[in-house]
């Protein structure tokens, strides 16, 4: 019998489980300069990590949807050449917590706006794939399935198809997109503040975890 108040846990990836900012900054610099824009600073990564990349090129640079598609393709070619796991690291303690949840019988899935092929590569690289019932991310074109609300819905759909109880889900994330995507599916969100966010982005979350111990207390209360 699990001691978690939640029947399943959905994980955002960038900024929540994995810090891939080193590779993202390098690839963005090459991409933006290729398309005639100044390289982003590390501080500006907050505008890029979290939302679908196709959306970010339009919002942050004013690109047309067509030009954004071209930019995403260029960026993804760089990513494939790099290897999807190059420079990526886990946030401290997150892997241990995922193992604890699995051993406590709490089903888990990713719910990431990264392309699913990249999410799977990361989870396999860090040895976390066996701890997850489903690995869910965006479609490769990042348009067919890309919004956080659609990705959360897809994660719940796949878990339910596996016979998993999705009546008390929770999403762990670090951006307002996670809070909004959860709300669209009536999924409460625990907001982690170690990612790429500003404090106001937590508005609407049921709790904020400043570190892994606070998150563990929310997901696996003692007693």
């Amino acid at each position: 019998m699990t001691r978690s108040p939640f029947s399943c846990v959905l994980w955002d990836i960038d900024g929540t489980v994995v810090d891939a900012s080193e590779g993202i900054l390098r690839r963005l610099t090459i991409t933006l300069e290729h398309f005639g824009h100044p390289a982003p600073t590390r501080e500006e990564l907050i505008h890029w990590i979290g939302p679908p990349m196709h959306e970010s090129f339009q919002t942050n640079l004013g690109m047309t949807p067509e030009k954004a598609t071209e930019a995403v393709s260029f960026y993804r070619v760089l990513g494939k050449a790099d290897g999807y796991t190059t420079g990526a690291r886990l946030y401290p303690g997150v892997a241990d917590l995922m193992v604890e949840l699995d051993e406590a019988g709490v089903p888990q899935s990713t719910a990431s706006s990264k392309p699913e092929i990249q999410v799977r590569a990361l989870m396999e690289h860090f040895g976390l794939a066996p701890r997850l019932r489903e690995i869910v991310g965006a479609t490769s074109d990042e348009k067919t399935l890309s919004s956080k609300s659609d990705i959360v819905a897809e994660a719940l759909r796949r878990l339910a198809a596996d016979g998993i109880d999705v009546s008390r889900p929770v999403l762990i994330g670090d951006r307002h997109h996670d809070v909004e995507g959860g709300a669209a599916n009536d999924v409460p969100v625990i907001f982690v503040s170690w990612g790429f966010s500003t404090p106001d982005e937590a508005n609407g979350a049921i709790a904020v975890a400043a570190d892994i111990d606070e998150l563990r207390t929310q997901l696996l209360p003692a007693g």
Side-chain angles (χ1 to χ4, degrees):
M1 183 74 175
T2 176
R3 66 179 192 271
S4 177
F6 304 106
S7 65
C8 59
V9 175
L10 310 181
W11 291 93
D12 172 56
I13 297 300
D14 274 345
T16 301
V17 176
V18 173
D19 179 358
S21 58
E22 176 189 311
I24 291 172
L25 181 59
R26 194 188 75 79
R27 292 189 293 274
L28 270 178
T29 296
I30 296 170
T31 303
L32 267 60
E33 289 179 342
H34 175 82
F35 286 93
H37 296 273
T41 64
R42 183 164 181 84
E43 291 68 34
E44 288 171 338
L45 280 180
I46 191 172
H47 303 302
W48 292 92
I49 296 179
M53 197 62 77
H54 188 261
E55 172 189 317
S56 293
F57 279 112
Q58 295 174 74
T59 303
N60 299 336
L61 301 176
M63 285 185 172
T64 63
E66 294 74 23
K67 182 60 74 173
T69 297
E70 188 182 339
V72 168
S73 296
F74 184 91
Y75 178 86
R76 293 303 176 203
V77 168
L78 295 175
K80 190 170 184 179
D82 264 356
Y84 298 133
T85 62
T86 300
R89 65 178 183 86
L90 291 171
Y91 284 101
V94 176
D96 292 338
L97 179 53
M98 292 174 80
V99 170
E100 289 176 52
L101 285 163
D102 183 42
E103 292 179 346
V106 183
Q108 301 170 86
S109 172
T110 64
S112 172
S113 294
K114 290 177 83 70
E116 193 167 298
I117 188 173
Q118 295 184 31
V119 179
R120 182 170 296 280
L122 285 164
M123 294 301 94
E124 290 176 351
H125 175 72
F126 290 116
L128 292 171
R131 304 294 179 173
L132 297 160
R133 299 294 188 92
E134 291 290 343
I135 294 177
V136 181
T139 46
S140 295
D141 65 5
E142 298 179 61
K143 289 185 285 186
T144 307
L145 178 64
S146 65
S147 74
K148 182 61 75 160
S149 59
D150 288 348
I151 287 166
V152 170
E154 177 64 10
L156 293 173
R157 186 195 69 76
R158 291 192 202 175
L159 289 173
D162 293 336
I164 290 166
D165 179 6
V166 295
S167 64
R168 289 173 289 111
V170 66
L171 171 65
I172 316 302
D174 74 312
R175 300 301 308 269
H176 67 89
H177 305 84
D178 298 310
V179 179
E180 293 161 3
N185 292 281
D186 296 320
V187 176
V189 174
I190 297 176
F191 193 92
V192 299
S193 57
W194 56 71
F196 292 81
S197 63
T198 55
D200 62 303
E201 292 191 64
N203 293 341
I206 59 167
V208 176
D211 56 42
I212 199 66
D213 291 331
E214 288 185 7
L215 182 57
R216 179 180 287 105
T217 300
Q218 293 285 338
L219 296 177
L220 291 170

